[in-house]
Amino acid sequence: MGVLDDFSLDGKVALVTGAARGLGQGIALGLAEAGADVAALDIVSVDETGDLVQNEDRRFHAVNVDLLESDAKLAAEVVEECVSELGRLDIHVNNAGIIRRAPALEFGEDDWEAVIKINLSAAFYLSQAAARHFVEEGRGGKIINTASVLSYEGGMIVPSYSASKAGIANLTRALANEWAPLGINVNAIAPSYFTTELTSALREDTERSEALLARLPAGRFGEPEDLKGAAVFLASDAADYVHGAIVPVDGGWLAR
């Protein structure tokens, strides 16, 4: 086998959360292009993602779940459904995320709790459920989290989002420390500003958009397909010795 074979995901099954659009859809498509069958989880329709995955001649399963209701029981049910429908689970991607913007002095309880629940708590419960399955099957697995450049920076008027993404970075390290000996790789991708619904308010603000682009060495916002390579790498055998890494895919944002 050559090095390119190490990047193949043929015969693998991936579960991707927040996969209806944006970064999650881009990641799901990248994994399918590398050979994986895909279960896509979201609160809204994932039909578009399903069409893209099936166009790659990969199997697809839709999981419609509200992660605001997430707990250990729901996470276990999601993993069980994925295994039941697609036969196995090898790769789990915690990508689902929301953002709420308001000054910290005015930030509401609901906006704090919802962001932490979806961005951080659901990621832990689903990682735990996936890891329990990996251990039970005895063949290891890959867990990939979507962190952010705000895992490193405080940002402005997004206190719950910044806190959740810093939490994701350290959760990635904490789980890697425990699960690496079990053959489970836990890593994260840290995007900067991408053309998704999450950043639409920033991109539509001309002054803010120009300031962001001036700071980005790449000179453009990221596109969901820009995450494909990092996701496939971290999901593949090529990353077997990569544990607890946060991989920036940020157009150079953190380097400036």
Side-chain angles (χ1 to χ4, degrees), residues 79-111:
V79 169
E80 185 178 342
E81 178 180 338
C82 177
V83 173
S84 174
E85 294 294 330
L86 294 178
R88 57 189 290 153
L89 179 64
D90 306 277
I91 303 151
H92 174 62
V93 182
N94 287 306
N95 169 77
I98 61 172
I99 195 166
R100 298 287 184 266
R101 292 183 172 87
L105 286 174
E106 303 162 15
F107 210 80
E109 286 183 50
D110 289 348
D111 286 342

Side-chain angles (χ1 to χ4, degrees), residues 150-172:
L150 291 187
S151 297
Y152 303 88
E153 304 171 337
M156 294 287 288
I157 69 169
V158 287
S160 58
Y161 184 84
S162 295
S164 72
K165 291 304 182 179
I168 281 290
N170 231 27
L171 179 64
T172 299

Side-chain angles (χ1 to χ4, degrees), residues 182-193:
L182 304 174
I184 299 170
N185 299 75
V186 187
N187 296 290
I189 299 170
S192 55
Y193 296 89

Side-chain angles (χ1 to χ4, degrees), residues 110-248:
D110 289 348
D111 286 342
W112 177 269
E113 297 294 341
V115 171
I116 297 299
K117 185 76 171 179
I118 291 176
N119 294 16
L120 186 56
S121 298
F124 171 70
Y125 291 131
L126 285 163
S127 295
Q128 183 185 58
R132 285 172 173 168
H133 173 74
F134 296 155
V135 170
E136 186 178 320
E137 292 298 311
R139 56 173 179 253
K142 311 286 185 183
I143 295 174
I144 304 168
N145 295 320
T146 299
S148 168
V149 292
L150 291 187
S151 297
Y152 303 88
E153 304 171 337
M156 294 287 288
I157 69 169
V158 287
S160 58
Y161 184 84
S162 295
S164 72
K165 291 304 182 179
I168 281 290
N170 231 27
L171 179 64
T172 299
R173 299 181 188 104
L175 297 182
N177 288 339
E178 290 194 40
W179 296 346
L182 304 174
I184 299 170
N185 299 75
V186 187
N187 296 290
I189 299 170
S192 55
Y193 296 89
F194 278 60
T195 57
T196 67
E197 187 178 315
L198 224 61
T199 63
S200 59
L202 295 176
R203 289 182 290 106
E204 290 164 8
D205 181 331
T206 303
E207 185 177 342
R208 182 77 172 119
S209 179
E210 288 177 355
L212 292 173
L213 287 170
R215 159 81 191 263
L216 278 163
R220 66 174 178 87
F221 294 116
E223 300 292 339
E225 52 264 32
D226 288 321
L227 293 184
K228 287 180 181 179
V232 169
F233 166 61
L234 292 176
S236 74
D237 292 347
D240 277 354
Y241 200 60
V242 180
H243 294 279
I246 316 293
V247 181

